[in-house]
Amino acid sequence: MRSAKLLLVGLVALGSTSCATAPMAQPGVDVSGKWQGTWVFQNASLGSGQIMMTLSQTGSKATGNMVVTGAPVDRTGSVTVLVSGNDVYLVYPTGMTGYLTVSGDDMKGQLDGMNPGNVVLKRQK
């Protein structure tokens, strides 16, 4: 299931760059704003920390900045987010990707990588 979702993300990204006249997928949620929360590796003994994201959304794509702190990773940089319905796909240029689901002012899901981590974010007002 996860590989099918990642394939969908790749196809959406490829389609949005290669065909300027094709209609974009309609987003179901607006993820614009500041999000703050926590992450923890699935093997909690490997580490945990804080995440802060500030996003600006146009259509089904949002861009912004993400700060990830905590042992053993501290990462700061730009982030691209693809939105489809309530599903959010993170594409972080330094190799961090993830799949999250938005419900109201909450966003929860998983960051992928060698050591996957669980994420819980809350929209800041």
Side-chain angles (χ1 to χ4, degrees):
M1 178 87 167
R2 166 155 264 135
S3 61
K5 290 178 182 175
L6 291 175
L7 177 60
L8 172 65
V9 170
L11 291 174
V12 168
L14 179 62
S16 66
T17 60
S18 65
C19 190
T21 60
M24 294 291 291
Q26 294 300 314
V29 294
D30 182 3
V31 296
S32 295
K34 184 176 179 180
W35 296 83
Q36 193 168 355
T38 59
W39 67 270
V40 61
F41 283 122
Q42 286 182 347
N43 178 350
S45 66
L46 294 176
S48 63
Q50 303 290 311
I51 294 183
M52 185 173 21
M53 269 193 314
T54 303
L55 300 171
S56 179
Q57 183 173 340
T58 302
S60 61
K61 182 179 178 182
T63 57
N65 189 56
M66 183 162 73
V67 177
V68 181
T69 60
V73 296
D74 282 339
R75 298 183 186 209
T76 300
S78 62
V79 63
T80 299
V81 175
L82 302 175
V83 180
S84 177
N86 290 348
D87 296 329
V88 174
Y89 305 95
L90 293 173
V91 183
Y92 192 52
T94 60
M96 188 181 300
T97 59
Y99 170 74
L100 306 163
T101 301
V102 177
S103 177
D105 288 333
D106 297 319
M107 191 182 316
K108 298 177 184 178
Q110 182 178 347
L111 296 178
D112 297 320
M114 288 180 57
N115 297 305
N118 296 317
V119 176
V120 177
L121 298 166
K122 183 126 185 112
R123 188 186 316 258
Q124 305 299 295
K125 299 194 178 196

